[in-house]
């Protein structure tokens, strides 16, 4: 039986709340308490409730980048505030976006307003508030480049704080928010988007796709269209089959190990990374280890893209997690590389 939400003015509270519709891997788990917050000004009051304050708090956006392994004995806070506003600072126009806005809606709005930069990041599921957590990236662009500041409730200090880019400490699929889980609740992100920017076309597949489209003159719209086509072809749609995008990060290894692996496996894609390290294609490793398109019951790896863990129907959190462990062990045994999950595992 589901409990009805109670409207507390600014947020809705539901006890013993079902989460199946709130995570794109469609894990059927429950939360002790769910708070859906429309007015983030009410967040401090909510967090001060004894039932909330004395337990754990977990923040949820659209649940598109998490694996819930079981029922959650905590208050799940879903940030659902809305709004996009532009304002002037010195000679720049900045865009402040509420954390609860959908990322893809914001990307399309920005392109429609004539801003450049986010075209490679179109069609990524999730909310704007989630975008800095794992520094979302695709097709050679990371969101960090365009973030000016992040507004968050700091649970350590008990106040709203404004974090600049340095404080966010962004790196590949990582940030201060991810490294200190639970510390901050993001309520808004301010973007500094250029009107003009060199297009990022170098990622494999983009130019080819634009040629196929017959795009004579490349604009951000053409790049966005090419990315939509590429993503729709390669990545399973979470509306059709439960998934959380890439389930593993592309592993970063030392130069020696990368050279040895490239020599032994000439097909393995290797990209240079910071500080003389190298990034390997986890998708290639998983496919070569034989896991692409395989499954145990309803938990499996996508047959479209080897990096995507999928729920074919009723897989539970533990079943999905144990399949992921099997993939990690298989890749480790074959290549000596340890894959790390990319989404939050709860
Ligand atoms: N590959 C395979 N088999 C596969 C899939 C990929 O061998 O089944 C190899 C191919 O050689 C391919 C290469 O891996 O050329 C790269 O594949 P892809 O372009 O799909 O990129 P990726 O490195 O697997 C990353 C991101 C994706 C992002 C794409 C495009 C991570 C963890 N993943 O995947 O992000 O969309 O690049 O930029 O960095 C996500 O984070 O959820 C996500 C989907």
């Amino acid at each position: 039986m589901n409990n009805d939400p109670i409207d507390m003015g600014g947020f809705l509270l539901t006890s013993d709340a079902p989460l199946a519709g709130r995570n794109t891997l469609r894990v059927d788990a429950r939360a002790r308490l769910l708070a859906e917050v429309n007015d983030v000004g009410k967040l401090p009051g909510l967090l001060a409730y004894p039932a909330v304050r004395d337990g754990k708090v977990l923040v949820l956006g659209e649940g598109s980048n998490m694996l819930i392994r079981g029922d959650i004995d905590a208050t799940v806070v879903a940030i659902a505030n809305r709004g996009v506003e532009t304002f002037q600072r010195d000679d720049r126009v900045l865009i402040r976006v509420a954390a609860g806005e959908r990322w893809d809606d914001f990307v399309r709005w920005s392109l429609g307003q004539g801003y450049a930069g986010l075209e490679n990041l179109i069609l990524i599921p999730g909310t704007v508030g989630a975008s800095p957590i794992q520094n979302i990236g695709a097709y050679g662009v990371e969101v960090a480049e365009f973030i000016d500041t992040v507004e968050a409730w700091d649970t350590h200090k008990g106040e709203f704080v404004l974090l600049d880019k340095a404080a966010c400490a962004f790196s590949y699929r990582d940030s201060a928010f991810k490294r200190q889980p639970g510390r901050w609740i993001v309520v808004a992100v301010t973007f500094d988007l250029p009107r003009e920017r060199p297009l990022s076309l170098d990622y494999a597949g983009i130019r080819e796709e634009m040629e196929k489209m017959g795009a004579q003159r490349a604009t951000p719209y053409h790049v966005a269209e090419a990315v939509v086509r590429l993503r729709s072809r390669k990545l399973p749609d979470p509306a059709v089959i439960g998934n959380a995008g890439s389930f593993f990060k592309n592993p970063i290894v030392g130069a020696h190990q990368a050279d040895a692996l490239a020599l032994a496996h000439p097909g393995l894609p290797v990209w240079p990374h910071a500080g003389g390290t190298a990034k390997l294609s986890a998708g290639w490793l998983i496919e070569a280890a034989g896991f692409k398109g395989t499954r145990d019951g309803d938990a499996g790896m996508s047959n479209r893209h080897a990096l995507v863990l999928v729920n074919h129907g009723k897989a539970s959190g533990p079943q999905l997690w144990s399949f992921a462990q099997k993939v990690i062990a298989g890749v480790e045994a074959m290549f000596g590389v340890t894959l790390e999950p990319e989404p939050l595992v709860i």
Side-chain angles (χ1 to χ4, degrees):
M1 206 192 79
N2 295 341
N3 293 319
D4 289 330
I6 304 170
D7 192 339
M8 308 294 287
F11 55 90
L12 296 171
L13 275 186
T14 314
S15 57
D16 190 27
L19 298 176
R22 290 180 180 269
N23 71 102
T24 60
L25 264 167
R26 299 190 197 161
V27 171
D28 191 11
R30 302 184 85 85
R32 182 161 58 76
L33 197 61
L34 171 72
E36 193 161 7
V37 182
N38 316 105
D39 175 1
V40 293
K42 298 284 172 13
L43 201 51
L46 164 68
L47 297 173
Y49 277 10
V52 177
R53 189 190 57 206
D54 299 339
K56 284 197 180 124
V57 169
L58 181 87
V59 183
L60 188 76
E62 278 184 8
S64 62
N65 201 49
M66 56 174 56
L67 168 58
I68 302 174
R69 284 172 61 189
D71 288 341
I72 299 178
D73 185 23
T75 302
V76 170
V77 174
I79 298 292
N81 58 341
R82 308 303 295 258
V84 179
E85 49 190 312
T86 52
F87 65 95
Q88 187 98 20
R89 186 201 295 148
D90 305 326
D91 59 343
R92 304 204 59 87
V93 174
L94 300 178
I95 308 161
R96 180 182 182 272
V97 188
E101 290 284 342
R102 290 188 61 245
W103 172 259
D104 188 50
D105 290 347
F106 169 55
V107 170
R108 288 165 200 263
W109 175 89
S110 76
L111 293 172
Q113 297 289 314
Y115 291 103
L118 300 184
E119 55 277 5
N120 296 50
L121 303 180
I122 198 166
L123 218 60
I124 295 181
T127 58
V128 167
S131 67
I133 311 291
Q134 55 142 340
N135 182 17
I136 58 171
Y139 300 96
V141 176
E142 289 182 352
V143 74
E145 180 183 342
F146 306 105
I147 289 182
D148 176 72
T149 41
V150 174
E151 281 164 64
W153 175 261
D154 185 337
T155 60
H156 288 192
K157 292 185 176 163
E159 63 186 29
F160 284 105
V161 292
L162 193 63
L163 292 109
D164 63 13
K165 200 190 285 210
C168 296
F170 292 118
S171 60
Y172 168 64
R173 291 296 193 279
D174 206 10
S175 70
F177 308 106
K178 204 167 165 184
R179 284 191 288 271
Q180 290 188 60
R183 169 151 185 194
W184 291 284
I185 301 177
V186 175
V187 298
V189 183
T190 295
F191 295 88
D192 186 351
L193 294 181
R195 285 288 177 185
E196 263 180 282
R197 178 184 176 280
L199 297 172
S200 299
L201 303 173
D202 291 334
Y203 194 91
I206 297 225
R207 285 184 205 279
E208 292 82 340
E209 200 61 39
M210 305 231 321
E211 259 162 50
K212 271 196 254 169
M213 286 159 46
Q216 302 290 336
R217 206 172 58 81
T219 70
Y221 297 105
H222 293 106
V223 178
E225 176 63 23
V227 170
V228 166
R229 288 172 181 230
L230 280 169
R231 286 189 74 97
S232 311
R233 208 162 54 228
K234 278 198 179 181
L235 293 167
D237 180 356
V240 177
I241 183 165
N243 76 84
S246 298
F247 192 78
F248 298 104
K249 291 197 233 184
N250 284 327
I252 291 158
V253 300
H256 281 304
Q257 192 181 4
D259 289 346
L261 282 166
L263 201 65
H265 310 283
L268 170 66
V270 178
W271 301 281
H273 196 68
T277 59
K279 190 151 90 175
L280 312 176
S281 162
W284 191 95
L285 296 170
I286 294 166
E287 181 166 352
F291 289 106
K292 186 173 185 172
T294 63
R295 59 195 275 183
D296 275 350
D298 277 345
M301 298 313 289
S302 167
N303 59 5
R304 286 221 213 168
H305 199 301
L307 202 46
V308 182
L309 182 73
V310 289
N311 184 353
H312 289 279
K314 295 207 171 314
S316 66
Q319 283 167 338
L320 289 161
W321 183 237
S322 107
F323 194 81
Q325 295 302 309
K326 197 167 127 177
V327 173
I328 294 174
V331 167
E332 169 107 54
M334 190 171 280
F335 300 105
V337 174
T338 310
L339 296 180
E340 282 175 31
E342 194 257 324
L344 230 55
V345 178
I346 298 152

